[in-house]
Amino acid sequence: MNSTARRTPQMQSGIWGLKPSVVASRTLAQPMSLLFAVTYLMFEYVRPQALYPVIDILPWGISMLMLGIGACALEGRIALPWQPWSLLSVFTAIILISSINGQYPKTSFFFMDIWWSWLFAILLLSSAIDTKEKLLIGVLAFIAYNLKMSQHSLFSWASAGFAFVRVGASGSPGWFRNSGEFGIAMCVFFPVSIYFLLGLWPSLSRITRIIMAGVALSAVVGMVASSSRGAQLGGAVLALWFVLRSPYRMRMLVAMAVLAGLTWLVMPPESKARWAAAGTDPHSIRRLTYW
C-alpha cells in the first residue's frame, strides 16, 4: 500500500499535513507558554534585534524566556523530565572539568552565565511542549528559523559564484556568526528536518514533500558553504548514521551515496585541498591544541 492510500482525511486536512492556514490557526490557539517558547527561539536563532537595531530596545531573548517560564507556572505546566536534565548534568560536568583544566579557567567561569540560559531554556521547552501537536509546532518553528540561516548562506555562496570563501558562510548575528558554529547548526538542522519529513510523510502532499526535502538539502548546502571541515565531517557521520538506523539500508545507502557524490562535485577545489592537508595545516594544529 502506498503512503497516499494510508492517508486519512483527518491527516490530510489537519495540522499534520502542514497546510499553512491550519498551522497558523493551530499555533495561535496554543497556550501562551508555547507562544513564548517559539518566540524565544526566534530571538535566539534569527536575532531580528541585531538585524533591525530599531527594535533592539529590550533584552528580548531573556525576556521571552522568563515570560515563558512564568506562563508555564501559571498554567501548571512546570515539568522536570528525567532525560533532558540528566543529559544537561553530564554536559555540565564536562564543562566544569574542561574549565578547571583549561588554559584560562577564569575566562571559562566568567562565561558560566551562558549555562544558566541553557538551564532556563530546557525548563521552558520541556514544560511548554507536552503534546504531539505542540512538539510539531515547536520543531516546525525550529526548522523555519534554521531555514532562514541556510537560505542566507545559499544566497551568500551564490553571490560569490559558488567559489571557495575562506571565512565561509555564516548564520545570524550571535551564536552562529562564526562559520564554524553555523556549520554545526546545520549538522543539527539536517537530521531534524529529515526525520521530521519522514515522520509526517504519509500525511503530506507531494508538493509539500518536495518542499521539505529542499529544506533538508539546504542544510547540506550550508555545511559546504560554511567551508568548515568539522561541519562537513559531521555531515558524513550523519549520512552513516542514516544508513545504519534505516530499516531500508540499501535504499538509504544509495540515497546517501548519491548525496555525497553531488556534495563532492559542488565542493570548491580549495575545500578539497584543505581536506588533503587535514592534520598538518595550521588550523588543524590549532584545534588539536585547543582539544
Side-chain angles (χ1 to χ4, degrees), residues 158-239:
S159 66
F162 297 103
F164 175 76
V165 180
R166 182 166 294 278
V167 296
S170 60
S172 303
W175 303 116
F176 309 111
R177 183 184 294 275
N178 180 278
S179 60
E181 276 68 43
F182 166 70
I184 293 172
M186 293 297 99
C187 285
V188 176
F189 174 37
F190 182 47
V192 170
S193 56
I194 284 288
Y195 282 117
F196 186 77
L197 170 61
L198 295 177
L200 295 179
W201 187 270
S203 61
L204 301 179
S205 65
R206 182 172 299 176
I207 186 64
T208 305
R209 292 173 182 173
I210 293 173
I211 291 172
M212 290 304 300
V215 169
L217 288 176
S218 73
V220 179
V221 173
M223 294 178 204
V224 177
S226 71
S227 300
S228 168
R229 285 175 294 189
Q232 293 158 11
L233 178 61
V237 173
L238 285 170

